[in-house]
Amino acid sequence: MSQFINGKLVDGTTGQTVNVIDPSNGTTVDTITLAGSDDVQAAVQAAKDAFPAWSRATPAERSAVLTKFAALMEERAEEFAQLESRQAGKPIRLTREFDVPGTIDNIAFFAGAARNLEGKATGEYSADHTSSIRREAIGVIGSISPWNYPLQMAAWKILPAIAAGNTIVLKPAEVTPLSTLLFAQVASEAGVPDGVINVITGRGSVVGAELMRHPDVDMLSFTGSTGVGRTVLEAAATTAKRVHLELGGKAPFVVFDDADLEAAIHGAVAGSLINTGQDCTAATRAIVHRSVYEEFITGVAALYAKVKLGPTQDPATDLGPLVSQSHRDNVAGMVDRARGYARVIGGGIPDGDLSAGSYYRPTLVADATPDSEIFRDEVFGPVLAVTPFDTDDEAIELANDTPYGLAASAWTKDVYRALRATRDIRSGCVWVNDHIPIISEMPHGGVKQSGFGKDMSTYSLDEYTVVKHVMFDLTGEKAKDWHRTIFSLEGQQ
């Protein structure tokens, strides 16, 4: 069963199938039947029908369901960790300690946030009227989530939407839909009413395109590449839908001359290799002061050499495969081209027992010029490009010399230098002396071509609600003084 529509698992209506492949060994995890137009129509109608009752549920009622949802997810945490590891090629240690616990924490957070939808205080902002603010659900949300964090990204889309009283139709990537389908089932078991959460698994060119343009979908939320994000904007314009986009990134990792270099080296390895580099916030551009440049390269290369590639089910494995062999080949191609203009340390496709998977070794590309492909374009693999700088002004300029603006980090012991970096680097998040940590209470989202709007935190509820001004007359007067600006009864009998 490959679709979850109106509280039930069903097969897609196209009859077309696709195999979900374990990237670590090339074996088939499951076979799903793709959704088509009829499935989109059924899912949107289910969401539309469920909206009136769910949007009128009290915050306490929605919170209670989400609280139970978090408890059920906790009970099935290992099942989710195993499934996410197999379909996405993630090391089991990562899914057990990051993906699944983070998702459960998100559910628990939004269980509380559902009861904290605030507006401006009721008051007399006009002498003759009392004004108040209502914060209301938008309606049916159409969401598209990516393959790199299937479970977490589905949660980031679904949770704030339904906590605010919306209903949702979510299209996961067809190569990694399994944990999203299970997530919807557990939500139903927790008491989320039928039709509130719907999952349709199909190709973006068919299912995604129709979902984006559906007249009964009131808002679109998309996480993925900047190129596809532009398509989402164009589709939304056809019916003037609200849009939330979390797009690509090319995060700068700025190491100043006074940084704790050992900490920066460890941070660069962790920040560049998380999820095998398939992370929009991953450290991808190390901008390092010339005085510590070679020491930084030597240190990162030494740690890269110790990273263990291996079977994803082995808790000792550090680095898993890329999502597919075609994506691995794209990463390898970018690295091979970089050999012609930069110093490449590491890299390569392993042989032996790992050859059946889509593995690629950690790769350091030193002396990458700011205008080079490897330094400017998203690689989405275990690759860190490094370039030197001489002055703080140059470091900030290099950090901002990108169309993206999702995340960045600055490494320094100087509080004034750190404050300047957090102010002047244009991105949705700037870490100081760390890179990657996220928490449910804080927002995630970018600027420039990394998109707009926020996931997580109470700020995400702004994306999924509309603010309505309600104004009451206090005077009871039939002919109000301001009416004279429109019409006058003076001189009339």
Side-chain angles (χ1 to χ4, degrees), residues 229-440:
R230 295 190 188 101
T231 302
V232 174
L233 280 172
E234 292 168 358
T238 62
T239 50
K241 302 184 196 302
R242 182 187 289 199
V243 180
H244 164 221
L245 300 175
E246 197 264 86
L247 307 176
K250 192 70 177 175
F253 185 99
V254 183
V255 182
F256 292 97
D257 58 0
D258 68 330
D260 181 329
L261 196 58
E262 184 178 2
I265 289 168
H266 280 82
V269 172
S272 62
L273 298 187
I274 185 170
N275 204 38
T276 318
Q278 299 169 126
D279 187 311
C280 293
T281 63
T284 58
R285 296 185 298 139
I287 300 165
V288 183
H289 193 273
R290 198 175 300 274
S291 66
V292 295
Y293 182 74
E294 288 298 336
E295 190 176 353
F296 176 85
I297 289 170
T298 299
V300 172
L303 282 184
Y304 270 3
K306 296 177 181 178
V307 169
K308 181 180 178 181
L309 280 68
T312 52
Q313 290 300 297
D314 185 350
T317 292
D318 298 319
L319 194 71
L322 293 161
V323 72
S324 67
Q325 293 196 353
S326 62
H327 181 52
R328 179 203 63 192
D329 292 344
N330 289 336
V331 171
M334 292 186 76
V335 172
D336 288 342
R337 289 191 293 275
R339 296 181 194 278
Y341 57 78
R343 184 172 22 139
V344 176
I345 305 168
I349 299 171
D351 51 18
D353 293 341
L354 300 181
S355 60
S358 48
Y359 289 86
Y360 195 80
R361 294 189 182 93
T363 311
L364 190 62
V365 182
D367 309 335
T369 58
D371 60 350
S372 62
E373 176 192 41
I374 205 79
F375 201 79
R376 298 198 66 81
D377 297 343
E378 273 199 291
V379 182
F380 232 55
V383 179
L384 178 63
V386 193
T387 199
F389 73 88
D390 294 298
T391 68
D392 286 12
D393 288 346
E394 184 185 3
I396 299 298
E397 182 179 353
L398 285 168
N400 287 331
D401 186 20
T402 174
Y404 302 110
L406 187 59
S409 64
W411 297 75
T412 177
K413 297 175 184 175
D414 186 325
V415 65
Y416 301 106
R417 183 177 261 164
L419 285 169
R420 184 198 172 186
T422 60
R423 181 195 66 189
D424 289 353
I425 295 176
R426 294 194 63 210
S427 70
C429 171
V430 180
W431 293 286
V432 177
N433 296 328
D434 209 342
H435 194 106
I436 283 298
I438 54 174
I439 50 176
S440 297

Side-chain angles (χ1 to χ4, degrees), residues 58-60 62-64 66 109-117 162-164 458 461:
T58 66
R62 293 197 292 267
S63 176
L66 289 172
F109 172 80
F110 280 106
R115 304 185 72 161
N116 191 37
L117 285 169
I162 68 170
T458 55
L461 297 173

Side-chain angles (χ1 to χ4, degrees), residues 104-324:
I104 294 170
D105 185 70
N106 255 246
I107 303 171
F109 172 80
F110 280 106
R115 304 185 72 161
N116 191 37
L117 285 169
E118 296 180 340
K120 199 168 187 176
T122 299
E124 286 70 51
Y125 301 95
S126 155
D128 295 336
H129 305 84
T130 293
S131 287
S132 64
I133 294 295
R134 291 179 57 87
R135 187 179 288 272
E136 298 180 345
I138 294 171
V140 176
I141 312 299
S143 286
I144 299 175
S145 58
W147 51 260
N148 58 332
Y149 288 100
L151 178 61
Q152 282 197 314
M153 295 298 99
W156 287 14
K157 300 297 183 194
I158 290 169
L159 295 171
I162 68 170
N166 301 282
T167 57
I168 191 167
V169 179
L170 183 138
K171 190 199 91 65
E174 62 269 26
V175 296
T176 55
L178 304 180
S179 58
T180 304
L181 289 164
L182 184 58
F183 187 78
Q185 293 173 64
V186 176
S188 180
E189 293 170 14
V192 174
D194 294 350
V196 171
I197 300 173
N198 304 274
V199 178
I200 50 174
T201 305
R203 302 196 187 282
S205 59
V206 179
V207 170
E210 183 161 345
L211 181 64
M212 288 188 293
R213 290 171 174 81
H214 199 293
D216 290 332
V217 172
D218 301 292
M219 173 187 163
L220 298 176
S221 180
F222 170 78
T223 294
S225 72
T226 297
V228 178
R230 295 190 188 101
T231 302
V232 174
L233 280 172
E234 292 168 358
T238 62
T239 50
K241 302 184 196 302
R242 182 187 289 199
V243 180
H244 164 221
L245 300 175
E246 197 264 86
L247 307 176
K250 192 70 177 175
F253 185 99
V254 183
V255 182
F256 292 97
D257 58 0
D258 68 330
D260 181 329
L261 196 58
E262 184 178 2
I265 289 168
H266 280 82
V269 172
S272 62
L273 298 187
I274 185 170
N275 204 38
T276 318
Q278 299 169 126
D279 187 311
C280 293
T281 63
T284 58
R285 296 185 298 139
I287 300 165
V288 183
H289 193 273
R290 198 175 300 274
S291 66
V292 295
Y293 182 74
E294 288 298 336
E295 190 176 353
F296 176 85
I297 289 170
T298 299
V300 172
L303 282 184
Y304 270 3
K306 296 177 181 178
V307 169
K308 181 180 178 181
L309 280 68
T312 52
Q313 290 300 297
D314 185 350
T317 292
D318 298 319
L319 194 71
L322 293 161
V323 72
S324 67

